[in-house]
Amino acid sequence: MKRNGVVMVAVAFQLLLLSGFSCGDESSNVVEDTKVKNKRHHVVGEDRGWDSSSDIASWSSDRLFMVGDDIWFAYSAAEEMIAELKSKEEFESCDVSNPIRTYVDGLNIIPLVDEGHRYFASSKAEKCKNGLKLHVDVAPIGGHLPKPKQLLAQPPKPSAATSRQLSLLRMFNYLIVSCTAVFLLAQQF
């Protein structure tokens, strides 16, 4: 079952790349939508996804979440569910008994449409107490929160050679996703 979660995270990253998103600065770990100015897609836990082995608190500590951004949760639906909690108190105590919403699909994209605080936790209280939880402070567009230094640097514009390499990379990623999908479908039958 653990392998399915890893495959789900890999497929999520591949889909992001194929959708026309670009990664910009390697150190930012934030995927920016090139079609909507300033919109960011935050893949929670990066390549490990939403998992006990991820250090979610460290991952989120230097992030700036703004209205219009999306949060991507990739996890093994067979092993995990994500609870969105109402209050800081529920979040801190890992009281997951009365969530606002429960995410169960294994890949959830959550749009940040309003400013304010959002609280996500593992639906398993023990995992939550061990750190599998995320507090998101959503700033208004052009908000007053200081941007992390790594988001201030603008990546250089790609050259024609780099554009060709990106096209080839996207084609290669398409093949990987296609093969992965066929493999997963074949395993189900």
Side-chain angles (χ1 to χ4, degrees), residues 66-70 110-115 118 138:
M66 292 179 48
V67 170
D69 289 356
D70 290 331
I110 299 159
L112 302 176
V113 294
D114 296 313
E115 62 183 277
R118 305 238 351 229
V138 183

Side-chain angles (χ1 to χ4, degrees), residues 88-172:
K88 182 178 181 179
E89 293 76 24
E90 288 178 337
F91 176 78
E92 288 177 348
S93 67
C94 290
D95 178 3
V96 294
S97 62
N98 191 24
I100 298 171
R101 193 172 293 113
T102 304
Y103 301 95
V104 299
D105 297 332
L107 178 61
N108 297 100
I109 303 166
I110 299 159
L112 302 176
V113 294
D114 296 313
E115 62 183 277
H117 298 277
R118 305 238 351 229
Y119 303 97
F120 302 93
S122 169
S123 63
K124 297 178 181 177
E126 190 61 35
K127 285 187 174 184
C128 175
K129 289 175 184 172
N130 287 328
L132 194 52
K133 57 185 180 177
L134 173 65
H135 168 226
V136 176
D137 186 6
V138 183
I141 295 175
H144 303 289
L145 294 177
K147 289 187 178 183
K149 290 179 186 174
Q150 64 204 37
L151 294 178
L152 294 176
Q154 294 294 324
K157 298 205 185 260
S159 66
T162 304
S163 295
R164 283 191 300 276
Q165 290 170 339
L166 287 173
S167 295
L168 288 173
L169 180 62
R170 284 194 179 111
M171 183 179 292
F172 179 71

Side-chain angles (χ1 to χ4, degrees), residues 32-51:
E32 292 187 33
D33 188 334
T34 57
K35 297 173 184 151
V36 179
K37 186 176 178 158
N38 297 326
K39 180 175 184 166
R40 291 185 180 87
H41 300 270
H42 304 271
V43 181
V44 177
E46 298 172 358
D47 59 340
R48 292 180 186 255
W50 180 262
D51 185 76

